[in-house]
């Protein structure tokens, strides 16, 4: 007969089951609606940001802190409070019990919130998949991508979701074979056929789609998604229009043909005019040089004639 379980053994098993269930529920929490990720407007600088203990911009403490677990701003007469306040409704810093290390928000002094929030905080590993910033590195809220379920900051949520359904391949074929991939993983951006979607590491639950054999994320059928393949735009084919008559698929030098069609001829004419002007200037320079040479020759001839006349005059005097 099996041994009877002791009370401590039963408590330990129940605790493990609760932790497992809380981890499973944490993946399905709507992060945008959770109190620790709600909107907050600073009392001092009037800037909107995520719910946090201290303002991200001016580091001031808010007058009415909001609990990151239950979302309340006033603690009523209750017996669950760690700090008893009979007959008094506590607000402000009198309601605060702790600061969460993950979501950077106040937790009220309720025994339930203090003991459960740190374990089930939905922003435990909330690093943006695009910029890799954590909650403490930016002042905005945290969201999840509706396709790959990764965390996104407020700056990158729209840009990421616009390009999330793009496969890292040029076809819809399975990664391991040439058959059509019927199951797509939006985290790995890959397709798998029925045979290769089965994994020995990650078990498939009944009534659910098979998990991705690479990362374990739940796959979806490719036909239910608006998936697109990766396209490569080469440099010499960038900006080419199909309707252009001058575009040739073999050459593809789009900018070259555009220059020729628009302003290339004018530039060639300008170049021709410049060449003509240079030729005219060269001819003028040559003519001036020739005139100078002729004048020098004439001066030399006159000098020789004068010398000859002087010698003749000397001969006559001697005679």
């Amino acid at each position: 007969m099996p041994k009877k379980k002791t009370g401590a053994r039963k408590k330990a098993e129940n605790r493990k089951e609760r932790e497992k269930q809380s981890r499973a529920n944490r993946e399905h929490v709507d992060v945008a609606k959770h109190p620790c990720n709600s909107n907050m407007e600073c009392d001092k600088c009037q800037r909107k940001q995520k719910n946090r203990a201290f303002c991200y911009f001016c580091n001031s403490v808010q007058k009415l802190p909001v609990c990151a677990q239950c979302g309340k701003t006033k603690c009523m007469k209750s017996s669950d409070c760690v700090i008893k306040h009979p007959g008094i409704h506590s607000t402000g810093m009198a309601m605060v019990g702790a600061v969460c290390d993950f979501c950077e928000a106040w937790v009220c002094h309720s025994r339930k919130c203090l003991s459960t929030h740190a374990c089930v905080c939905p922003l435990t590993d909330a690093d943006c998949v695009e910029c890799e910033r954590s909650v403490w590195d930016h002042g905005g809220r945290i969201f999840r991508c509706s396709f790959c379920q990764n965390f996104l900051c407020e700056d990158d949520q729209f840009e990421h979701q616009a390009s999330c359904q793009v496969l890292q391949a040029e076809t819809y074929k399975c990664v391991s074979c040439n058959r059509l991939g019927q199951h797509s993983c939006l985290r790995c951006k890959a397709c798998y056929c029925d045979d290769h979607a089965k994994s020995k590491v990650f078990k498939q639950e009944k009534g659910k789609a098979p998990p991705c054999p690479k990362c374990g994320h739940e796959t979806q059928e490719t036909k239910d998604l608006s998936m697109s393949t990766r396209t490569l735009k080469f440099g010499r084919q960038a900006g080419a229009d199909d309707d252009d008559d001058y575009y040739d698929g073999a050459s593809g030098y789009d900018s070259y043909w555009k220059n020729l069609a628009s302003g290339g001829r004018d530039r060639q004419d300008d170049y021709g005019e410049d060449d003509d002007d240079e030729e005219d200037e060269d001819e003028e320079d040559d003519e001036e040089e020739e005139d100078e040479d002729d004048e020098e020759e004439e001066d030399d001839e006159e000098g020789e004639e004068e010398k000859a006349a002087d010698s003749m005059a000397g001969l006559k005097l001697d005679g």
Side-chain angles (χ1 to χ4, degrees):
M1 291 182 64
K3 296 181 179 180
K4 293 182 67 176
K5 295 181 180 179
T6 59
R9 180 73 178 273
K10 290 181 181 179
K11 288 181 179 179
E13 289 181 354
N14 292 335
R15 187 183 71 254
K16 288 183 180 179
E17 187 65 26
R18 285 196 305 271
E19 291 177 355
K20 183 180 179 181
Q21 189 65 28
S22 66
R23 284 194 297 268
N25 293 335
R26 186 169 56 188
E27 297 179 358
H28 302 285
V29 171
D30 191 359
V31 181
K33 297 180 180 179
H34 202 273
C36 68
N37 196 33
S38 60
N39 270 322
M40 183 192 80
E41 186 174 351
C42 179
D43 300 331
K44 188 175 181 180
C45 63
Q46 305 297 324
R47 290 190 177 183
K48 290 185 178 180
Q49 54 196 288
K50 189 192 81 67
N51 179 27
R52 57 182 66 239
F54 307 98
C55 177
Y56 180 78
F57 302 99
C58 62
N59 293 327
S60 62
V61 182
Q62 308 306 306
K63 295 180 180 178
L64 293 176
V66 179
C67 178
Q69 180 63 25
C70 59
K72 65 183 180 182
T73 58
K74 180 187 291 187
C75 185
M76 310 298 285
K77 304 173 185 178
S78 176
S79 60
D80 189 33
C81 298
V82 176
I83 302 173
K84 303 297 182 182
H85 48 91
I88 301 173
H89 300 326
S90 63
T91 58
M93 295 303 294
M95 187 200 70
V96 168
V99 179
C100 180
D101 290 334
F102 304 116
C103 62
E104 198 188 351
W106 293 115
V107 182
C108 67
H109 58 214
S110 171
R111 193 180 301 275
K112 180 181 178 182
C113 294
L114 288 173
S115 59
T116 59
H117 176 75
C119 300
V120 298
C121 181
L123 304 182
T124 303
D125 299 320
D127 295 343
C128 179
V129 70
E130 290 288 337
C131 60
E132 298 181 357
R133 291 185 300 176
S134 62
V135 179
W136 292 76
D137 297 332
H138 63 93
R141 301 171 66 196
I142 299 292
F143 300 92
R144 275 188 183 272
C145 178
S146 57
F147 304 113
C148 62
Q149 298 300 318
N150 281 320
F151 286 106
L152 295 170
C153 66
E154 199 166 358
D155 300 329
D156 298 326
Q157 58 164 333
F158 296 112
E159 185 178 355
H160 171 83
Q161 291 186 100
S163 61
C164 187
Q165 297 190 75
V166 180
L167 294 175
Q168 294 295 329
E170 298 179 4
T171 60
Y172 293 97
K173 293 182 179 180
C174 176
V175 177
S176 302
C177 63
N178 286 328
R179 285 186 292 180
L180 183 65
Q182 299 179 359
H183 305 279
S184 298
C185 177
L186 289 169
R187 284 192 177 177
C188 301
K189 304 292 187 295
C191 291
Y192 301 96
C193 61
D194 289 332
D195 295 339
H196 291 102
K198 298 176 182 178
S199 174
K200 296 180 180 179
V201 180
F202 305 102
K203 295 182 180 180
Q204 180 181 359
E205 298 180 4
K206 291 184 179 180
K208 291 187 177 181
C212 175
K214 186 177 179 181
C215 64
H217 182 64
E218 186 176 353
T219 59
Q220 300 182 33
E221 291 191 8
T222 309
K223 63 181 181 180
D224 297 338
L225 304 169
S226 58
M227 300 291 290
S228 58
T229 56
R230 181 180 59 182
T231 56
L232 298 176
K233 294 181 180 179
F234 297 98
R236 67 188 187 93
Q237 296 178 356
D241 299 329
D242 297 335
D243 298 335
D244 295 336
D245 296 333
Y246 56 81
Y247 175 73
D248 188 5
S251 61
Y253 294 100
D254 187 28
S255 59
Y256 175 74
W257 298 114
K258 282 183 178 179
N259 291 332
L260 284 182
S262 60
R265 296 175 183 174
D266 299 336
R267 291 179 182 176
Q268 287 181 354
D269 297 339
D270 296 339
Y271 296 153
E273 293 176 359
D274 296 339
D275 294 339
D276 296 338
D277 295 338
E278 291 177 358
E279 289 178 359
D280 295 339
E281 291 177 359
D282 294 339
E283 290 177 358
E284 291 177 358
D285 295 338
D286 294 338
E287 290 177 357
E288 291 178 357
E289 290 177 358
E290 290 177 359
D291 295 338
E292 291 177 358
D293 294 338
D294 294 340
E295 291 177 357
E296 290 177 358
E297 290 177 358
E298 291 176 356
D299 295 337
D300 294 339
E301 290 176 357
E302 291 178 356
E304 291 176 357
E305 290 176 356
E306 290 178 357
K307 288 180 180 179
D310 293 338
S311 62
M312 292 298 291
L315 290 173
K316 289 178 182 179
L317 292 172
D318 294 338

